[in-house]
Amino acid sequence: EKKRVRMGLEKIPHVVKIFPSAANFLLFRVKSNSKEIYRAIAKAGVVIRYRGDNHGCSECLRATVGRPKDNDTFLEKLKQVIADVVSK
């Protein structure tokens, strides 16, 4: 399932890097507006973590890999939120 979520993230143009992970989460970097994306996706009901304040993690977010249905929701909401945030 992690491989499928990684592939979904790779298809989102605003996602510029996905870090290697041996755990059940994926840390990824977006081009810009990570904090706004984090807040907007939380308002949409999807919980991810903002990691932009951590050393070496500017513009980074972290998502837990869950059940297939939850991962589908995460990927769809992320695409919607990025489109909304970036278009402002």
Side-chain angles (χ1 to χ4, degrees):
E1 191 60 22
K2 182 166 62 171
K3 182 177 180 179
R4 188 176 73 83
V5 175
R6 173 182 282 278
M7 289 171 45
L9 287 170
E10 289 171 349
K11 293 178 184 175
I12 301 172
H14 200 69
V15 174
V16 295
K17 182 171 184 173
I18 305 162
F19 293 85
S21 174
N24 70 331
F25 62 82
L26 291 169
L27 181 71
F28 59 98
R29 177 171 284 135
V30 294
K31 289 180 185 177
S32 61
N33 304 97
S34 59
K35 193 166 259 187
E36 292 85 354
I37 292 167
Y38 162 73
R39 288 179 181 143
I41 202 167
K43 276 188 171 183
V46 176
V47 177
I48 63 173
R49 300 286 179 244
Y50 173 72
R51 291 293 179 245
D53 291 336
N54 295 88
H55 178 72
C57 292
S58 65
E59 300 295 347
C60 284
L61 301 166
R62 190 187 83 187
T64 300
V65 177
R67 298 175 299 189
K69 182 179 176 186
D70 297 330
N71 296 330
D72 291 341
T73 300
F74 158 66
L75 290 168
E76 285 306 312
K77 293 289 184 185
L78 183 63
K79 290 176 201 171
Q80 292 169 4
V81 162
I82 287 173
D84 292 345
V85 168
V86 173
S87 69
K88 289 181 180 177

Coordinates of all heavy atoms in Angstrom, one line a residue:
E1 N 0.8 -1.2 0.0 CA 0.0 0.0 0.0 C 0.9 1.3 0.0 O 0.5 2.2 -0.6 CB -1.0 0.0 1.2 CG -2.0 1.0 1.2 CD -3.0 0.9 0.0 OE1 -3.1 -0.1 -0.7 OE2 -3.6 2.0 -0.3
K2 N 2.0 1.2 0.7 CA 2.9 2.4 0.7 C 3.4 2.7 -0.7 O 3.5 3.8 -1.1 CB 4.0 2.1 1.7 CG 5.0 3.3 1.8 CD 5.9 3.3 3.0 CE 6.8 2.2 2.9 NZ 7.9 2.2 4.0
K3 N 3.7 1.6 -1.4 CA 4.2 1.9 -2.8 C 3.1 2.5 -3.6 O 3.4 3.4 -4.4 CB 4.6 0.5 -3.4 CG 5.1 0.6 -4.8 CD 5.6 -0.7 -5.3 CE 6.1 -0.6 -6.7 NZ 6.5 -1.9 -7.3
R4 N 1.9 2.2 -3.5 CA 0.8 2.8 -4.2 C 0.6 4.2 -3.8 O 0.4 5.1 -4.7 CB -0.6 2.0 -4.0 CG -1.7 2.4 -4.8 CD -2.9 1.6 -4.6 NE -3.5 1.9 -3.3 CZ -4.4 2.9 -3.1 NH1 -4.7 3.7 -4.1 NH2 -5.0 3.0 -2.0
V5 N 0.7 4.5 -2.5 CA 0.5 5.9 -2.1 C 1.7 6.8 -2.6 O 1.5 7.9 -3.1 CB 0.4 6.0 -0.6 CG1 0.4 7.5 -0.1 CG2 -0.8 5.3 -0.1
R6 N 2.9 6.2 -2.6 CA 4.1 6.9 -3.1 C 3.9 7.2 -4.6 O 4.2 8.3 -5.1 CB 5.3 6.0 -3.0 CG 6.6 6.6 -3.6 CD 7.8 5.7 -3.5 NE 8.4 5.8 -2.2 CZ 9.2 6.8 -1.8 NH1 9.6 7.7 -2.7 NH2 9.7 6.8 -0.6
M7 N 3.4 6.2 -5.4 CA 3.1 6.4 -6.8 C 2.1 7.5 -7.0 O 2.2 8.3 -7.9 CB 2.7 5.1 -7.4 CG 3.9 4.1 -7.6 SD 3.5 2.5 -8.1 CE 2.4 2.7 -9.5
G8 N 1.1 7.5 -6.1 CA 0.0 8.6 -6.2 C 0.6 10.0 -6.0 O 0.3 10.9 -6.6
L9 N 1.5 10.1 -5.0 CA 2.2 11.3 -4.7 C 3.1 11.8 -5.8 O 3.1 13.0 -6.2 CB 3.0 11.2 -3.4 CG 2.2 11.2 -2.1 CD1 3.2 10.8 -0.9 CD2 1.5 12.5 -1.8
E10 N 3.7 10.8 -6.5 CA 4.6 11.1 -7.6 C 3.9 11.7 -8.8 O 4.5 12.5 -9.6 CB 5.4 9.9 -8.0 CG 6.4 9.4 -7.1 CD 7.0 8.0 -7.4 OE1 6.5 7.3 -8.3 OE2 8.0 7.7 -6.8
K11 N 2.6 11.5 -8.9 CA 1.8 12.0 -10.0 C 1.3 13.4 -9.7 O 0.7 14.0 -10.6 CB 0.6 11.1 -10.2 CG 1.0 9.7 -10.7 CD -0.2 8.8 -10.9 CE 0.2 7.4 -11.3 NZ -0.9 6.5 -11.4
I12 N 1.5 13.9 -8.5 CA 1.0 15.3 -8.2 C 2.2 16.2 -8.5 O 3.2 16.2 -7.8 CB 0.6 15.4 -6.7 CG1 -0.5 14.4 -6.4 CG2 0.2 16.8 -6.3 CD1 -0.9 14.2 -4.9
P13 N 2.0 17.1 -9.4 CA 3.1 18.0 -9.8 C 3.7 18.9 -8.7 O 4.9 19.2 -8.7 CB 2.5 18.9 -11.0 CG 1.4 18.0 -11.5 CD 0.9 17.3 -10.3
H14 N 2.9 19.3 -7.8 CA 3.3 20.2 -6.7 C 4.2 19.4 -5.7 O 4.9 20.1 -4.9 CB 2.1 20.8 -6.0 CG 2.4 22.0 -5.2 ND1 2.8 23.2 -5.9 CD2 2.4 22.3 -3.9 CE1 3.0 24.1 -4.9 NE2 2.8 23.6 -3.7
V15 N 4.2 18.1 -5.7 CA 5.0 17.3 -4.8 C 6.4 17.1 -5.5 O 6.4 16.6 -6.6 CB 4.4 15.9 -4.5 CG1 5.4 15.1 -3.7 CG2 3.1 16.1 -3.7
V16 N 7.4 17.7 -4.9 CA 8.7 17.7 -5.6 C 9.7 16.6 -5.1 O 10.7 16.3 -5.7 CB 9.4 19.1 -5.5 CG1 8.6 20.1 -6.3 CG2 9.6 19.5 -4.1
K17 N 9.4 16.1 -3.9 CA 10.3 15.0 -3.4 C 9.5 14.1 -2.4 O 8.8 14.6 -1.6 CB 11.5 15.6 -2.7 CG 12.5 14.6 -2.1 CD 13.8 15.2 -1.6 CE 14.7 14.0 -1.2 NZ 16.0 14.4 -0.9
I18 N 9.8 12.9 -2.4 CA 9.3 11.9 -1.5 C 10.5 11.2 -0.9 O 11.3 10.6 -1.6 CB 8.3 10.9 -2.1 CG1 7.2 11.6 -2.9 CG2 7.8 9.9 -1.1 CD1 6.5 10.8 -3.9
F19 N 10.6 11.3 0.4 CA 11.8 10.8 1.1 C 11.7 9.3 1.3 O 10.6 8.8 1.5 CB 12.0 11.5 2.4 CG 12.4 12.9 2.3 CD1 11.4 13.9 2.2 CD2 13.7 13.3 2.3 CE1 11.7 15.2 2.0 CE2 14.0 14.7 2.2 CZ 13.1 15.6 2.0
P20 N 12.8 8.5 1.3 CA 12.8 7.1 1.6 C 12.2 6.9 3.0 O 12.5 7.7 3.9 CB 14.2 6.7 1.5 CG 14.9 7.7 0.7 CD 14.2 9.0 1.0
S21 N 11.5 5.8 3.2 CA 10.9 5.5 4.5 C 10.8 4.0 4.7 O 10.3 3.3 3.8 CB 9.5 6.1 4.6 OG 8.9 5.8 5.8
A22 N 11.2 3.6 5.9 CA 11.0 2.2 6.2 C 9.8 2.0 7.2 O 9.5 0.9 7.6 CB 12.3 1.6 6.9
A23 N 9.2 3.1 7.5 CA 8.1 3.1 8.4 C 6.7 3.2 7.7 O 6.7 3.2 6.5 CB 8.2 4.3 9.4
N24 N 5.6 3.3 8.4 CA 4.3 3.4 7.8 C 3.9 4.8 7.5 O 2.7 5.1 7.5 CB 3.3 2.7 8.7 CG 3.0 3.5 10.0 OD1 3.8 4.2 10.4 ND2 1.8 3.3 10.5
F25 N 4.8 5.6 7.2 CA 4.5 7.0 6.8 C 5.4 7.4 5.6 O 6.4 6.8 5.4 CB 4.5 8.0 7.9 CG 5.9 8.1 8.5 CD1 6.8 9.0 8.0 CD2 6.2 7.4 9.7 CE1 8.1 9.1 8.5 CE2 7.5 7.5 10.2 CZ 8.4 8.4 9.7
L26 N 5.0 8.5 4.9 CA 5.8 9.1 3.9 C 6.0 10.6 4.2 O 5.0 11.3 4.4 CB 5.1 8.9 2.5 CG 5.0 7.5 2.0 CD1 4.1 7.3 0.8 CD2 6.4 7.0 1.6
L27 N 7.2 11.0 4.1 CA 7.5 12.4 4.3 C 7.8 12.9 2.9 O 8.5 12.3 2.1 CB 8.8 12.5 5.1 CG 9.3 14.0 5.3 CD1 8.4 14.7 6.3 CD2 10.8 13.9 5.8
F28 N 7.1 14.0 2.5 CA 7.2 14.5 1.2 C 7.3 16.1 1.2 O 6.8 16.7 2.1 CB 6.1 14.1 0.3 CG 4.7 14.5 0.8 CD1 4.0 15.5 0.2 CD2 4.0 13.7 1.7 CE1 2.8 15.9 0.7 CE2 2.8 14.0 2.1 CZ 2.1 15.1 1.6
R29 N 8.0 16.6 0.2 CA 8.2 18.1 0.1 C 7.3 18.6 -1.1 O 7.2 18.0 -2.1 CB 9.6 18.4 -0.2 CG 9.9 19.9 -0.4 CD 11.4 20.1 -0.4 NE 11.9 20.1 0.9 CZ 13.0 19.5 1.3 NH1 13.8 18.9 0.4 NH2 13.4 19.5 2.5
V30 N 6.7 19.7 -0.8 CA 5.9 20.4 -1.9 C 6.6 21.6 -2.3 O 7.5 22.1 -1.6 CB 4.5 20.7 -1.4 CG1 3.7 19.5 -1.1 CG2 4.5 21.6 -0.1
K31 N 6.3 22.2 -3.5 CA 7.0 23.3 -4.0 C 6.9 24.5 -3.1 O 7.8 25.3 -2.9 CB 6.4 23.7 -5.4 CG 6.8 22.7 -6.5 CD 6.2 23.2 -7.8 CE 6.4 22.2 -8.9 NZ 5.8 22.5 -10.1
S32 N 5.7 24.7 -2.5 CA 5.4 25.9 -1.7 C 4.1 25.7 -0.9 O 3.4 24.8 -1.2 CB 5.3 27.2 -2.6 OG 4.2 27.0 -3.5
N33 N 3.9 26.6 0.0 CA 2.6 26.7 0.7 C 2.3 25.5 1.6 O 1.1 25.1 1.8 CB 1.4 27.0 -0.2 CG 1.6 28.2 -1.0 OD1 2.0 28.1 -2.2 ND2 1.3 29.3 -0.5
S34 N 3.3 24.8 2.1 CA 3.1 23.6 2.9 C 2.2 23.8 4.1 O 1.3 23.0 4.4 CB 4.4 22.9 3.3 OG 5.2 23.8 4.1
K35 N 2.4 24.9 4.8 CA 1.6 25.1 6.0 C 0.1 25.4 5.6 O -0.8 24.9 6.3 CB 2.1 26.3 6.8 CG 1.5 26.4 8.2 CD 2.3 27.3 9.1 CE 3.1 26.5 10.0 NZ 3.8 27.2 11.1
E36 N -0.1 26.1 4.6 CA -1.5 26.3 4.1 C -2.1 25.0 3.6 O -3.3 24.8 3.9 CB -1.5 27.4 3.0 CG -1.1 28.8 3.4 CD 0.4 29.0 3.4 OE1 1.2 28.1 3.2 OE2 0.8 30.2 3.7
I37 N -1.3 24.2 3.0 CA -1.9 22.9 2.5 C -2.2 22.0 3.7 O -3.3 21.4 3.8 CB -0.8 22.2 1.6 CG1 -0.7 22.9 0.3 CG2 -1.2 20.7 1.4 CD1 0.5 22.5 -0.5
Y38 N -1.3 22.0 4.7 CA -1.6 21.3 6.0 C -2.9 21.8 6.6 O -3.7 20.9 7.0 CB -0.4 21.5 6.9 CG -0.6 21.2 8.3 CD1 -0.8 19.8 8.8 CD2 -0.8 22.2 9.3 CE1 -1.0 19.5 10.1 CE2 -1.0 21.9 10.6 CZ -1.1 20.6 11.0 OH -1.4 20.3 12.3
R39 N -3.1 23.0 6.8 CA -4.3 23.6 7.4 C -5.5 23.2 6.6 O -6.6 22.9 7.2 CB -4.1 25.1 7.6 CG -3.2 25.5 8.7 CD -3.0 27.0 8.8 NE -2.1 27.3 9.8 CZ -1.3 28.4 9.7 NH1 -1.3 29.2 8.7 NH2 -0.4 28.6 10.7
A40 N -5.4 23.4 5.3 CA -6.6 23.2 4.4 C -7.0 21.7 4.4 O -8.2 21.4 4.4 CB -6.3 23.7 3.0
I41 N -6.0 20.8 4.4 CA -6.4 19.4 4.3 C -7.0 18.9 5.7 O -7.9 18.1 5.8 CB -5.2 18.5 3.9 CG1 -5.8 17.2 3.3 CG2 -4.2 18.3 4.9 CD1 -4.7 16.4 2.5
A42 N -6.5 19.6 6.8 CA -7.1 19.3 8.1 C -8.5 19.7 8.1 O -9.4 19.0 8.6 CB -6.3 20.0 9.2
K43 N -8.8 20.9 7.6 CA -10.2 21.4 7.5 C -11.1 20.4 6.7 O -12.3 20.3 6.9 CB -10.3 22.8 6.9 CG -10.0 23.9 7.9 CD -10.3 25.2 7.2 CE -10.3 26.3 8.2 NZ -10.6 27.6 7.6
A44 N -10.5 19.8 5.7 CA -11.2 18.8 4.9 C -11.4 17.5 5.5 O -11.9 16.6 4.9 CB -10.5 18.7 3.5
G45 N -10.8 17.3 6.7 CA -11.0 16.1 7.5 C -9.9 15.0 7.4 O -10.1 13.9 7.8
V46 N -8.8 15.4 6.8 CA -7.7 14.5 6.6 C -6.5 14.9 7.5 O -6.1 16.1 7.4 CB -7.2 14.4 5.1 CG1 -6.0 13.5 5.0 CG2 -8.4 13.9 4.3
V47 N -6.1 14.0 8.4 CA -5.0 14.4 9.3 C -3.6 14.0 8.7 O -3.4 12.8 8.4 CB -5.2 13.7 10.7 CG1 -4.0 14.0 11.6 CG2 -6.5 14.1 11.3
I48 N -2.8 15.0 8.5 CA -1.4 14.7 8.2 C -0.6 15.6 9.1 O -1.1 16.3 9.9 CB -1.0 15.0 6.7 CG1 -1.3 16.5 6.4 CG2 -1.8 14.1 5.8 CD1 -0.8 16.9 5.0
R49 N 0.7 15.5 9.0 CA 1.6 16.3 9.9 C 2.4 17.3 9.1 O 2.9 17.0 8.1 CB 2.6 15.4 10.7 CG 1.9 14.4 11.5 CD 1.3 15.0 12.8 NE 0.6 14.0 13.6 CZ -0.7 14.0 13.8 NH1 -1.5 14.9 13.3 NH2 -1.3 13.1 14.5
Y50 N 2.5 18.5 9.7 CA 3.4 19.6 9.1 C 4.7 19.4 9.7 O 4.9 19.3 10.9 CB 2.8 21.0 9.5 CG 3.7 22.1 9.1 CD1 3.9 22.4 7.8 CD2 4.5 22.8 10.1 CE1 4.7 23.5 7.4 CE2 5.3 23.8 9.7 CZ 5.4 24.1 8.4 OH 6.3 25.1 8.0
R51 N 5.8 19.3 8.9 CA 7.1 19.1 9.3 C 8.1 20.2 8.9 O 9.3 20.1 9.0 CB 7.7 17.7 8.8 CG 7.0 16.5 9.5 CD 7.4 16.5 11.0 NE 6.8 15.5 11.7 CZ 5.9 15.7 12.7 NH1 5.5 16.9 13.0 NH2 5.4 14.7 13.4
G52 N 7.5 21.3 8.3 CA 8.3 22.4 7.8 C 9.2 23.0 8.8 O 10.1 23.7 8.5
D53 N 8.9 22.9 10.1 CA 9.7 23.5 11.2 C 10.9 22.7 11.6 O 11.8 23.1 12.3 CB 8.8 23.8 12.4 CG 7.8 24.8 12.2 OD1 8.0 25.7 11.3 OD2 6.8 24.8 12.9
N54 N 10.9 21.4 11.1 CA 12.1 20.5 11.5 C 13.3 20.8 10.6 O 13.1 21.1 9.4 CB 11.6 19.1 11.3 CG 10.6 18.7 12.3 OD1 9.4 18.8 12.0 ND2 11.0 18.2 13.5
H55 N 14.4 20.6 11.1 CA 15.7 20.9 10.4 C 15.7 20.1 9.1 O 15.5 18.9 9.1 CB 16.9 20.6 11.3 CG 18.2 20.7 10.6 ND1 18.7 22.0 10.3 CD2 19.1 19.8 10.1 CE1 19.9 21.8 9.7 NE2 20.1 20.5 9.5
G56 N 16.0 20.7 8.0 CA 16.1 20.0 6.7 C 14.8 19.6 6.1 O 14.8 18.9 5.1
C57 N 13.7 20.1 6.7 CA 12.4 19.7 6.2 C 11.5 20.8 5.7 O 10.3 20.8 5.8 CB 11.6 18.9 7.3 SG 12.3 17.3 7.7
S58 N 12.1 21.9 5.1 CA 11.3 23.0 4.7 C 10.3 22.5 3.6 O 10.6 21.7 2.8 CB 12.2 24.1 4.1 OG 12.9 23.6 2.9
E59 N 9.1 23.0 3.8 CA 8.0 22.7 2.9 C 7.6 21.2 2.9 O 7.1 20.7 1.9 CB 8.3 23.1 1.4 CG 8.5 24.6 1.3 CD 7.3 25.5 1.6 OE1 6.1 25.0 1.7 OE2 7.4 26.7 1.8
C60 N 7.9 20.5 4.0 CA 7.6 19.1 4.1 C 6.3 18.8 4.9 O 6.0 19.5 5.9 CB 8.8 18.4 4.8 SG 10.2 18.1 3.6
L61 N 5.7 17.7 4.5 CA 4.5 17.2 5.2 C 4.7 15.7 5.3 O 5.5 15.1 4.6 CB 3.2 17.5 4.3 CG 2.9 18.9 4.0 CD1 1.9 19.0 2.9 CD2 2.5 19.6 5.3
R62 N 4.0 15.1 6.3 CA 4.1 13.7 6.5 C 2.7 13.0 6.6 O 1.9 13.5 7.4 CB 4.9 13.4 7.8 CG 5.2 11.9 8.0 CD 5.8 11.7 9.3 NE 4.7 11.5 10.3 CZ 4.9 11.4 11.6 NH1 6.1 11.4 12.1 NH2 3.8 11.2 12.4
A63 N 2.6 12.0 5.9 CA 1.3 11.3 5.9 C 1.5 9.8 6.3 O 2.4 9.2 5.9 CB 0.6 11.3 4.5
T64 N 0.6 9.3 7.1 CA 0.6 7.9 7.5 C -0.1 7.1 6.4 O -1.1 7.5 5.8 CB -0.2 7.7 8.8 OG1 0.5 8.5 9.9 CG2 -0.2 6.3 9.3
V65 N 0.5 6.0 6.1 CA -0.1 5.1 5.2 C -1.1 4.2 5.9 O -0.7 3.5 6.9 CB 1.0 4.2 4.5 CG1 0.4 3.2 3.6 CG2 2.0 5.0 3.8
G66 N -2.3 4.3 5.5 CA -3.4 3.6 6.2 C -4.1 2.5 5.3 O -3.4 1.9 4.4
R67 N -5.4 2.4 5.5 CA -6.1 1.5 4.7 C -6.3 2.0 3.3 O -6.3 3.2 3.1 CB -7.5 1.2 5.3 CG -7.4 0.6 6.7 CD -8.7 0.5 7.3 NE -9.3 1.8 7.5 CZ -10.4 2.1 8.1 NH1 -11.1 1.2 8.7 NH2 -10.8 3.4 8.2
P68 N -6.5 1.2 2.3 CA -6.7 1.7 0.9 C -7.7 2.8 0.8 O -7.4 3.8 0.1 CB -7.1 0.4 0.1 CG -6.4 -0.7 0.9 CD -6.5 -0.3 2.3
K69 N -8.8 2.7 1.4 CA -9.9 3.7 1.3 C -9.4 5.0 1.9 O -9.6 6.1 1.3 CB -11.2 3.2 2.0 CG -12.3 4.2 1.9 CD -13.5 3.7 2.6 CE -14.6 4.7 2.6 NZ -15.8 4.4 3.3
D70 N -8.7 4.9 3.0 CA -8.2 6.2 3.6 C -7.1 6.8 2.8 O -7.0 8.0 2.7 CB -7.6 5.8 5.0 CG -8.7 5.3 6.0 OD1 -9.9 5.7 5.9 OD2 -8.3 4.5 6.9
N71 N -6.3 6.0 2.2 CA -5.2 6.5 1.3 C -5.8 7.1 0.1 O -5.3 8.2 -0.4 CB -4.3 5.4 0.9 CG -3.5 4.8 2.1 OD1 -3.3 5.5 3.1 ND2 -3.2 3.6 2.1
D72 N -6.9 6.5 -0.5 CA -7.5 7.2 -1.6 C -8.1 8.5 -1.3 O -7.9 9.5 -2.0 CB -8.7 6.3 -2.1 CG -8.2 5.0 -2.8 OD1 -7.0 4.9 -3.2 OD2 -9.0 4.0 -2.9
T73 N -8.7 8.6 -0.1 CA -9.2 9.9 0.4 C -8.1 10.9 0.5 O -8.3 12.1 0.1 CB -10.0 9.7 1.7 OG1 -11.1 8.8 1.5 CG2 -10.5 11.0 2.2
F74 N -7.0 10.5 1.2 CA -5.9 11.4 1.3 C -5.4 11.9 0.0 O -5.2 13.1 -0.2 CB -4.8 10.7 2.1 CG -3.4 11.3 1.9 CD1 -3.1 12.5 2.4 CD2 -2.4 10.6 1.2 CE1 -1.9 13.1 2.2 CE2 -1.2 11.1 1.0 CZ -0.9 12.4 1.5
L75 N -5.2 11.1 -1.0 CA -4.6 11.5 -2.2 C -5.6 12.4 -3.0 O -5.2 13.5 -3.5 CB -4.3 10.3 -3.1 CG -3.1 9.5 -2.7 CD1 -3.0 8.2 -3.4 CD2 -1.8 10.3 -2.8
E76 N -6.9 12.1 -3.0 CA -7.9 13.0 -3.6 C -8.0 14.4 -2.9 O -8.0 15.4 -3.6 CB -9.2 12.3 -3.7 CG -9.3 11.2 -4.7 CD -8.9 11.7 -6.1 OE1 -9.4 12.7 -6.6 OE2 -8.1 11.0 -6.7
K77 N -8.0 14.4 -1.6 CA -8.1 15.6 -0.9 C -6.8 16.4 -1.1 O -6.9 17.7 -1.2 CB -8.4 15.4 0.6 CG -9.7 14.8 0.9 CD -10.8 15.8 0.7 CE -12.2 15.2 1.1 NZ -13.3 16.1 0.8
L78 N -5.7 15.8 -1.1 CA -4.4 16.5 -1.3 C -4.4 17.2 -2.6 O -4.1 18.4 -2.7 CB -3.2 15.6 -1.1 CG -1.9 16.2 -1.3 CD1 -1.6 17.2 -0.1 CD2 -0.8 15.1 -1.3
K79 N -4.8 16.5 -3.7 CA -4.9 17.1 -5.0 C -5.8 18.3 -5.0 O -5.5 19.4 -5.5 CB -5.4 16.1 -6.0 CG -4.4 15.0 -6.3 CD -5.1 14.0 -7.3 CE -4.4 12.7 -7.3 NZ -5.1 11.7 -8.0
Q80 N -7.0 18.2 -4.4 CA -8.0 19.3 -4.3 C -7.4 20.5 -3.5 O -7.5 21.6 -4.0 CB -9.3 18.8 -3.7 CG -10.1 17.8 -4.5 CD -11.2 17.2 -3.7 OE1 -11.5 17.6 -2.5 NE2 -11.9 16.2 -4.3
V81 N -6.9 20.2 -2.4 CA -6.3 21.3 -1.5 C -5.2 22.0 -2.2 O -5.1 23.2 -2.2 CB -5.9 20.7 -0.2 CG1 -5.0 21.6 0.6 CG2 -7.1 20.3 0.7
I82 N -4.3 21.3 -2.8 CA -3.2 21.9 -3.5 C -3.7 22.8 -4.6 O -3.2 24.0 -4.8 CB -2.2 20.9 -4.1 CG1 -1.4 20.3 -2.9 CG2 -1.2 21.5 -5.1 CD1 -0.5 19.1 -3.3
A83 N -4.6 22.3 -5.4 CA -5.2 23.2 -6.5 C -5.8 24.4 -5.9 O -5.6 25.5 -6.4 CB -6.3 22.3 -7.2
D84 N -6.5 24.3 -4.8 CA -7.2 25.5 -4.2 C -6.1 26.5 -3.6 O -6.2 27.7 -3.8 CB -8.1 25.1 -3.0 CG -9.4 24.3 -3.6 OD1 -9.6 24.4 -4.8 OD2 -10.0 23.7 -2.7
V85 N -5.2 25.9 -2.9 CA -4.2 26.8 -2.2 C -3.3 27.5 -3.2 O -3.0 28.7 -3.1 CB -3.3 26.0 -1.2 CG1 -2.1 26.7 -0.7 CG2 -4.2 25.6 0.0
V86 N -2.8 26.7 -4.2 CA -1.9 27.3 -5.2 C -2.6 28.3 -6.1 O -1.9 29.2 -6.6 CB -1.2 26.1 -6.0 CG1 -0.4 26.7 -7.1 CG2 -0.4 25.3 -5.1
S87 N -3.8 28.1 -6.4 CA -4.5 29.1 -7.3 C -4.9 30.4 -6.6 O -5.2 31.3 -7.3 CB -5.8 28.4 -7.8 OG -6.8 28.3 -6.7
K88 N -4.7 30.5 -5.3 CA -5.0 31.8 -4.6 C -3.9 32.8 -4.9 O -2.8 32.6 -5.1 CB -5.1 31.6 -3.1 CG -6.4 30.8 -2.8 CD -6.5 30.7 -1.3 CE -7.7 29.9 -0.9 NZ -7.9 29.6 0.5

